[in-house]
């Protein structure tokens, strides 16, 4: 294998095509073609990671919804008393959604800390194992921002769903008498 430097403005694909027509016993490729073919493995790994991420997000959303439903169920008596004293449904709904947003934000902060710690441990282990400076786990600010934003949106959604279910129920049923 060897590389050929081209003059500025020369098309790598056309030079590779001309070389392939003239010479016998070798095949010329442009750098872009080589990079494209050699990166197919990384493309498969990237898709695999994306699939794992989607499954993780869906599972965490279901878990978050379950936690919020349980949390709201604990507040049934509180919601009944608030309704009996005249607190509007909208106010109860807003308070529960605000609480869900706070829980989601706290979970996102803790999750980010765990991810950064796990990434550092992963890098340290594999860098020592393979005696390299390659980075095996990279957590970028854009990934953190996306994750925190998604966590807050999912948390608010789960809280809103649970709160909507609670405020639709009659106060006597919430109190356990209806």
């Amino acid at each position: 294998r060897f590389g050929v430097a081209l003059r500025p403005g020369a098309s790598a694909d056309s030079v590779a095509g001309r070389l392939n027509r003239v010479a016998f016993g070798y095949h010329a490729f442009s750098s872009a073609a080589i990079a494209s073919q050699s990166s197919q493995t990384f493309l498969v790994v990237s898709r695999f990671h994306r699939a794992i991420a989607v499954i993780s997000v869906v599972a965490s959303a279901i878990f978050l919804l379950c936690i919020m439903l349980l949390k709201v169920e604990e507040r049934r008596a509180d919601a009944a008393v608030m309704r009996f004293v005249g607190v509007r449904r909208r106010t109860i709904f807003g308070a529960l959604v605000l609480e869900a947003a706070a829980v989601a934000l706290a979970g996102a902060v803790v999750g980010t800390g765990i991810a950064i710690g796990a990434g550092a441990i992963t890098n340290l282990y594999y860098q020592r194992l393979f005696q390299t400076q390659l980075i095996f786990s990279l957590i970028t600010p854009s990934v953190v921002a996306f994750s925190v934003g998604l966590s807050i949106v999912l948390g608010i959604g789960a809280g809103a769903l649970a709160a909507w279910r609670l405020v639709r129920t009659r106060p006597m049923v919430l109190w356990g008498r209806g």
Side-chain angles (χ1 to χ4, degrees), residues 72-85:
V72 167
E73 284 298 316
E74 291 176 1
R75 307 282 301 271
R76 288 173 66 96
D78 297 339
V81 169
M82 287 189 276
R83 295 274 304 280
F84 285 142
V85 298

Side-chain angles (χ1 to χ4, degrees), residues 9 17 23 39 43 69-70 74 86 92 96 102 109-110 117-118 123-124 127 140 143 148 161 170 178:
S39 68
L43 183 62
L69 286 172
L70 289 173
E74 291 176 1
I92 296 169
L96 291 171
V109 169
V110 170
N123 285 331
L124 183 64
Q127 286 173 348
T140 63
V143 168
V148 169
L161 184 64
R170 294 188 341 255

Side-chain angles (χ1 to χ4, degrees), residues 96-134:
L96 291 171
V97 170
L98 186 61
E99 184 178 339
V103 168
L105 181 61
V109 169
V110 170
T112 300
I114 290 171
I116 290 171
I121 291 169
T122 300
N123 285 331
L124 183 64
Y125 176 77
Y126 285 110
Q127 286 173 348
R128 285 188 180 170
L129 180 68
F130 296 117
Q131 298 176 358
T132 183
Q133 291 300 313
L134 291 174

